[in-house]
Amino acid sequence: MKAIAAFAMRGRFHALALTVAGSGSILFCWISAAILALVTLRKGVGSGAQLLLWALLPSGVLLYVVGDSGPISLLLGTYLLAAVLRTTVSLPLAVLSSVAVGALSGLALLLFASGYLEQMLTVFGNFLGSLEQELSKDAQTAVEFARPTASQVAGLMGAGSSMMAIICLMLGRYWQAALYNPGGFGSEFRALRYPPMPALALVVIALALASLGVEYRTWAVIALMPLNFAGLALVHARAKQRGSGQLWMTVFYLAWLLLDPMKLLVVLIAVADSLLDFRRRWKWGGGN
């Protein structure tokens, strides 16, 4: 992966070729977004904007032909986060901006991509229908699952755009550190933490959305995304301090990806960290 970053930073044409090549692909757009973040962080917001304009051409074609707005949302979202990080030099603020990315992505789907949402609802409906048939074979009563609404799917895809934008930003920042400041990204990420007021505000927004009903719970996930990554940063900080091996972190990430209660636990420890500042306490307590 570092070789890709090194090739992209050889010159403007190299970065342009890689970014444009992947921006029109559903599978490889994340590489283009990470390169866009790298160029924005290293060369500046203006250089990143020029690269973004070219990258929007193939992703725009994909949106027009297939109706998939994922690549274009990812490129725009990642650039926004990278521009915030470049301007403010604040990783917490850049990650916090992902809430706007996710919300705007979801709203754009509801307002301008009703046809694409209908296609997604059909896909979900067919999958759930097949699953119901399989489970009903061995059950005494018919098994039925609630079908998602357009709003739920839009919120879910907005949350996905938010998470992927953060991941691409992190990858771009990691590449920048690997090329020009080895080890810098690790310490920066492990220090990611929110003060009490922003953390509690995100929790209140998420609870307010969830209280509106099942239809809005996917939108609540968007509000909790920065706290999820702050919690992950705290886990990495603790693992680094205690010298935990890669196997432990691999198991943790598998649990985080597959189990929703683990995601909620990560959010809770991030909120607790905003109030108690565990890193400072570990330092005072000698790491115990």
Side-chain angles (χ1 to χ4, degrees):
M1 296 296 289
K2 182 179 176 181
I4 296 177
F7 180 83
M9 296 308 292
R10 287 182 183 178
R12 181 176 300 178
F13 176 77
H14 296 79
L16 178 63
L18 285 176
T19 305
V20 172
S23 61
S25 169
I26 298 174
L27 294 177
F28 299 106
C29 183
W30 60 276
I31 296 179
S32 297
I35 295 173
L36 178 62
L38 171 62
V39 172
T40 303
L41 293 173
R42 182 63 181 176
K43 300 293 185 180
V45 175
S47 297
Q50 295 177 12
L51 192 61
L52 173 64
L53 291 176
W54 284 103
L56 290 178
L57 294 177
S59 60
V61 171
L62 185 68
L63 174 62
Y64 178 78
V65 175
V66 182
D68 187 356
S69 62
I72 200 168
S73 296
L74 180 58
L75 290 168
L76 289 170
T78 302
Y79 173 74
L80 173 63
L81 267 58
V84 171
L85 180 55
R86 167 75 184 197
T87 304
T88 65
V89 199
S90 172
L91 184 61
L93 187 56
V95 174
L96 186 62
S97 302
S98 68
V99 176
V101 170
L104 291 174
S105 297
L107 288 174
L109 285 171
L110 284 176
L111 294 175
F112 306 113
S114 57
Y116 180 68
L117 285 177
E118 288 298 327
Q119 294 177 10
M120 294 298 298
L121 289 174
T122 301
V123 172
F124 278 116
N126 292 337
F127 172 76
L128 291 176
S130 299
L131 188 59
E132 287 171 347
Q133 291 180 0
E134 291 296 326
L135 294 177
S136 297
K137 291 179 181 179
D138 300 324
Q140 295 180 351
T141 58
V143 177
E144 294 184 3
F145 295 105
R147 298 301 193 264
T149 65
S151 179
Q152 283 178 301
V153 173
L156 182 63
M157 297 184 70
S161 295
S162 175
M163 182 177 71
M164 285 303 302
I166 296 174
I167 292 174
C168 289
L169 172 72
M170 297 290 187
L171 180 56
R173 180 67 186 92
Y174 166 76
W175 280 344
Q176 183 190 25
L179 293 174
Y180 307 106
N181 181 29
F185 171 74
S187 58
E188 183 180 19
F189 176 66
R190 288 190 294 270
L192 177 60
R193 173 182 172 272
Y194 288 101
M197 286 302 294
L200 294 177
L202 290 172
V203 172
V204 170
I205 293 172
L207 290 175
L209 288 169
S211 68
L212 295 177
V214 177
E215 190 171 358
Y216 294 95
R217 289 178 184 173
T218 54
W219 294 84
V221 174
I222 299 174
L224 296 178
M225 198 63 67
L227 293 177
N228 249 297
F229 279 86
L232 294 176
L234 181 65
V235 172
H236 275 270
R238 187 58 167 171
K240 175 72 173 180
Q241 186 182 55
R242 297 180 66 89
S244 301
Q246 291 185 350
L247 177 60
W248 186 91
M249 290 303 300
T250 301
V251 172
F252 166 77
Y253 267 103
L254 286 174
W256 180 75
L257 288 171
L258 299 176
L259 304 175
D260 287 338
M262 180 62 73
K263 296 183 179 67
L264 180 59
L265 177 61
V266 169
V267 169
L268 291 177
I269 65 173
V271 175
D273 182 43
S274 71
L275 299 172
L276 301 175
D277 195 355
F278 290 129
R279 296 170 184 82
R280 180 164 57 90
R281 291 172 178 268
W282 294 338
K283 184 177 180 180
W284 286 356
N288 297 321

